[in-house]
Amino acid sequence: MAERNGHDRDDDPPGTRQPGGTIIEVRDLAVGFGERLIMDGLDLDVRRGEILGVVGASGTGKSVLLRTIIGLIRQRRGQIRVFGHDMGTIGERRRRLIEQRWGILFQHGALFSSLTVKQNIQFPMREYLKLSEPLLDEMAMVKLHLVGLKPEAAERYPSELSGGMIKRAALARALALDPEIVFLDEPTSGLDPIGAADFDELIATLQKTLGLTVFMVTHDLDSLAGICDRIAALGDGKVLHEGTIDEMKQQRHPWLQAYFNGPRARASHVHTRSRGA
Amino acid sequence: MAIPAAAWQGGERTGGRLALTGSWNAEHAAALEGVVAAALAKSTTAGPVAIECSALVGFDTLGAYLIHKLATGLGSGGHPVEIVGLTPAQRILLDEVSVTIRQPEARSELGNAYRILSDIGEGVVDAGRDVAGGVSFFGSVVIALGRLFTGRTRLRFPAVVAQLERVGLRSVPIIVLISFLVGAIISQQSVFQLRPYGTVQFVADLIGILSLRELAVLLTSIMIAGRSGSSFTAELGSMKMREEVDALETMGMDPIEVLVLPRLLALIIAMPLLTFLSAMASIGGGALVAMVYGGVSADVFFSRLQNAIALNTFLVGMIKAPFMALVIGITACIEGFAVRGSAESLGTHTTASVVKSIFMVIVVDGLFAMFFAAIDY
């Protein structure tokens, strides 16, 4: 069992610690499968405390980028620094410690189907924290409360939950270790508009209260307009442009034009809403 | 980072000030629990309490929850408790986690004897349900077959052929190999045991009758239950988990017709063929050992074999094969459809499928043995 200690946090270069510091730094990234190169020379920065929305047409590698950053896919070239540590050269033990500092919400939840919701949330805590059994139970309930699930959901199995509840339970598991970064892969896909808006609000609240940095792959224009501080649009194996939603709308690139000024964008108040208003 | 601590300051009877220091976060989870318990135990104040948090260096949901718990514990005497010195961000977090955890009502502890009885009862009820479920499933298969033969539904021929390749053709090497080896081993033992009596040539009778009547069909059934039955269960089970079976039904198709019949028909066709191959292989293995190890010449072996076996010996084995196929196929499909949402359930049912199939095969074989003995066949 890896010890969870504080020294690692103190090891972080000072630049990554204060709000606004670069917490994830991707440089010249190339990722491919077989003959096909999905990303070629991609650069991206994520700053501490922000909600970054990653958009792109299908097949531009949004999820691949996420999976590469968290180490599920190996890059062909380039450097990924998380908390200032180069993930390519960092040792196995240090990597485990960094992995405890992020939480991931997979697209379909990826809850362990043979464990109850409560056991799913407790799973990482049991592994990494030394908590007594009653406190483990209480903390699981606190996390459930944080993501807006009723206590009754705790004893249910994932197959007995609705789609929205699965997303919330999976978010609670992602938050189990109080991570500094959460990666969300299409958090609002498959939710109804009201559920999606609730979920957006939940993410924004958690980001404010827990000081989270959020890396969110999404197609949901409402989320982009409503809660994202910055947006990065992927295309042609690179980041086409990054900036606020208003900056994105000014871009000449045809795909960005179609995405941010298309009929669905107009319908979703992209023009009128702004963060915190 | 600093070790967390909580220290009482000030007067005891008039109220108190509890100063929290260190980092109250998950890194010090084990220490924190002790700190909170100790602070509550040492609480002798009879007046209002202030929890001073301005010296905290680390703070997360765990720390916030424990401070909330501490405050609730201290306030249980009716005195006001105030938490002071938090930054606005820490205050928001504290408010977020300030939930009163409802302790789940303790389950009534039942005695061991009671639990054993209830387990036995459940087992009996489950066995009864298994039988009822099996009969009802067999009924639906018969109905589907009836529709097939009366032309109200068509046979999904490509599916049958595809299954036939998987359960039939691809099982040939392993079944032939195993039968050959088992035949050889039995032959070796027989030669060894018969040698003192000078009747080594009777090994041909033994291998011939044993292979054709029992060995081939049993070996094939057990191999098929492990190889094809388990894969049927896993396939149907994961289709069930991903709602593919429901999708079929909503398209107006009967899962039994689409999924079960092709598999079952393929098994029923493949099983006699495989049984035949298995019999030949085990006789071949037996003959080889009889010749090499037992010194029985090929002439003697095969003329004894011809004397010992008649057509009925061969048919006894072959007649059983399709029934074994039916038992294995139906058990596997029932277990597949019984899979519920979790990965664990898929595993449980796949195991159950193989175990029940092999058990049923042996039971059916026993029934056939009694039947053939009774009619003197």
Side-chain angles (χ1 to χ4, degrees):
Chain A
M1 193 176 88
E3 192 69 32
R4 193 182 157 96
N5 63 35
H7 301 300
D8 205 60
R9 246 159 255 221
D10 301 335
D11 279 356
D12 295 352
T16 66
R17 269 186 266 168
Q18 68 268 27
T22 305
I23 196 167
I24 300 176
E25 187 184 324
V26 179
R27 288 289 172 271
D28 190 32
L29 185 72
V31 180
F33 301 107
E35 300 273 292
R36 215 155 46 96
L37 210 54
I38 304 218
M39 267 166 250
D40 192 6
L42 181 140
D43 296 328
L44 181 69
D45 282 344
V46 185
R47 299 177 198 142
R48 189 177 276 274
E50 75 174 350
I51 300 185
L52 176 75
V54 176
V55 298
S58 290
T60 48
K62 303 177 295 292
S63 295
V64 172
L65 174 62
L66 191 157
R67 295 170 78 87
T68 311
I69 295 176
I70 60 182
L72 292 176
I73 298 175
R74 277 202 77 82
Q75 71 259 41
R76 296 228 173 129
R77 188 185 75 226
Q79 199 182 38
I80 297 168
R81 302 182 82 88
V82 182
F83 303 115
H85 303 284
D86 184 348
M87 298 305 280
T89 58
I90 196 168
E92 184 66 16
R93 199 187 66 84
R94 302 272 301 275
R95 184 181 181 86
R96 294 272 165 249
L97 289 172
I98 287 189
E99 281 171 354
Q100 292 171 38
R101 295 168 65 190
W102 68 41
I104 295 135
L105 170 62
F106 287 95
Q107 197 173 351
H108 302 290
L111 291 170
F112 303 123
S113 58
S114 48
L115 302 180
T116 62
V117 168
K118 188 173 86 179
Q119 290 165 336
N120 261 289
I121 300 172
Q122 288 172 340
F123 190 82
M125 297 192 206
R126 219 177 263 283
E127 192 69 25
Y128 293 121
L129 308 180
K130 287 183 197 132
L131 297 183
S132 67
E133 207 54 37
L135 189 60
L136 264 178
D137 282 353
E138 288 170 34
M139 283 314 291
M141 299 319 258
V142 168
K143 304 286 172 179
L144 272 185
H145 173 80
L146 271 180
V147 299
L149 279 176
K150 294 205 173 67
E152 291 83 65
E155 299 301 333
R156 296 223 212 133
Y157 285 92
S159 56
E160 300 163 353
L161 300 179
S162 70
M165 287 166 87
I166 286 179
K167 298 249 167 173
R168 281 171 192 265
L171 183 63
R173 187 180 67 180
L175 295 174
L177 294 178
D178 275 306
E180 291 162 63
I181 311 175
V182 272
F183 293 92
L184 311 174
D185 196 355
E186 307 214 9
T188 55
S189 72
L191 299 185
D192 66 278
I194 300 169
D198 276 355
F199 206 84
D200 280 347
E201 204 157 303
L202 171 66
I203 291 166
T205 313
L206 291 176
Q207 185 253 350
K208 262 183 253 144
T209 50
L210 305 178
L212 291 173
T213 308
V214 180
F215 180 105
M216 175 160 74
V217 170
T218 187
H219 272 303
D220 189 335
L221 281 156
D222 285 318
S223 316
L224 290 170
I227 63 167
C228 289
D229 297 300
R230 275 190 325 131
I231 296 167
L234 302 190
D236 311 326
K238 295 184 168 60
V239 174
L240 289 177
H241 190 74
E242 52 185 304
T244 63
I245 186 116
D246 293 319
E247 288 166 32
M248 299 307 272
K249 283 189 310 194
Q250 310 303 323
Q251 292 301 308
R252 294 284 107 203
H253 191 284
W255 188 82
L256 293 178
Q257 271 292 322
Y259 194 96
F260 289 99
N261 293 320
R264 296 183 68 112
R266 279 196 288 280
S268 71
H269 315 292
V270 167
H271 297 258
T272 51
R273 251 163 72 177
S274 67
R275 181 104 204 280
Chain B
M1 285 209 186
I3 303 296
W8 284 101
Q9 303 168 337
E12 284 189 359
R13 296 201 176 278
T14 52
R17 203 169 175 79
L18 186 63
L20 308 186
T21 52
S23 55
W24 282 56
N25 55 24
E27 283 161 29
H28 300 282
L32 274 173
E33 271 191 85
V35 168
V36 169
L40 281 175
K42 272 188 247 162
S43 155
T44 52
T45 51
V49 179
I51 300 178
E52 172 61 54
C53 299
S54 52
L56 290 185
V57 289
F59 192 71
D60 65 6
T61 46
L62 179 77
Y65 174 71
L66 285 173
I67 290 173
H68 162 70
K69 205 176 159 184
L70 190 59
T72 320
L74 291 173
S76 58
H79 301 292
V81 177
E82 206 188 350
I83 300 169
V84 295
L86 286 175
T87 64
Q90 290 173 335
R91 174 69 63 186
I92 298 172
L93 181 56
L94 183 66
D95 290 343
E96 276 293 319
V97 303
S98 296
V99 281
T100 317
I101 304 295
R102 189 162 45 81
Q103 289 298 332
E105 56 269 32
R107 293 210 191 97
S108 57
E109 276 301 311
L110 299 169
N112 271 336
Y114 184 93
R115 223 178 297 147
I116 289 169
L117 279 178
S118 101
D119 277 356
I120 293 173
E122 261 173 46
V124 171
V125 171
D126 282 350
R129 281 218 190 99
D130 270 2
V131 172
V135 171
S136 119
F137 192 85
F138 184 61
S140 356
V141 169
V142 169
I143 290 171
L145 276 173
R147 276 204 296 266
L148 192 69
F149 288 124
T150 54
R152 268 186 287 170
T153 179
R154 64 192 175 78
L155 176 64
R156 288 168 170 80
F157 196 67
V160 177
V161 175
Q163 292 295 336
L164 204 51
E165 188 200 338
R166 286 182 41 195
V167 304
L169 195 60
R170 298 201 182 279
S171 322
V172 168
I174 187 70
I175 286 180
V176 166
L177 177 68
I178 291 205
S179 305
F180 184 86
L181 292 177
V182 171
I185 292 164
I186 289 178
S187 175
Q188 187 270 334
Q189 271 302 309
S190 311
V191 167
F192 186 75
Q193 303 296 337
L194 291 173
R195 194 169 273 155
Y197 307 100
T199 52
V200 174
Q201 71 275 21
F202 283 105
V203 70
D205 301 51
L206 206 147
I207 285 292
I209 294 173
L210 189 63
S211 295
L212 291 174
R213 287 188 82 111
E214 296 292 342
L215 194 65
V217 71
L218 273 182
L219 275 179
T220 310
S221 302
I222 291 171
M223 286 302 296
I224 288 293
R227 200 182 169 277
S228 307
S230 61
S231 85
F232 286 1
T233 307
E235 282 164 18
L236 296 181
S238 63
M239 287 183 79
K240 178 100 189 179
M241 274 164 82
R242 293 160 172 270
E243 299 175 322
E244 291 172 42
V245 176
D246 300 341
L248 264 180
E249 264 179 89
T250 56
M251 290 179 213
M253 281 177 255
D254 181 5
I256 300 222
E257 276 172 31
V258 180
L259 299 175
V260 177
L261 272 194
R263 287 180 166 80
L264 215 50
L265 287 178
L267 262 190
I268 290 175
I269 297 169
M271 195 69 132
L273 302 175
L274 291 170
T275 302
F276 176 75
L277 286 179
S278 164
M280 293 305 113
S282 64
I283 290 176
L288 188 72
V289 171
M291 284 180 244
V292 175
Y293 175 76
V296 182
S297 72
D299 283 358
V300 174
F301 188 91
F302 285 108
S303 67
R304 282 241 47 97
L305 191 66
Q306 204 181 6
N307 276 334
I309 61 175
L311 185 64
N312 74 326
T313 322
F314 172 71
L315 285 180
V316 163
M318 297 306 278
I319 287 168
K320 288 192 273 191
F323 290 94
M324 299 304 188
L326 203 62
V327 165
I328 294 169
I330 286 186
T331 311
C333 292
I334 290 176
E335 291 296 329
F337 284 128
V339 169
R340 294 284 162 263
S342 73
E344 198 182 359
S345 145
L346 183 62
T348 315
H349 284 288
T350 308
T351 309
S353 157
V354 175
V355 172
K356 281 186 195 167
S357 300
I358 293 179
F359 173 72
M360 286 303 290
V361 159
I362 289 169
V363 168
V364 168
D365 194 57
L367 293 177
F368 267 111
M370 284 153 66
F371 172 71
F372 286 129
I375 65 167
D376 207 11
Y377 190 64

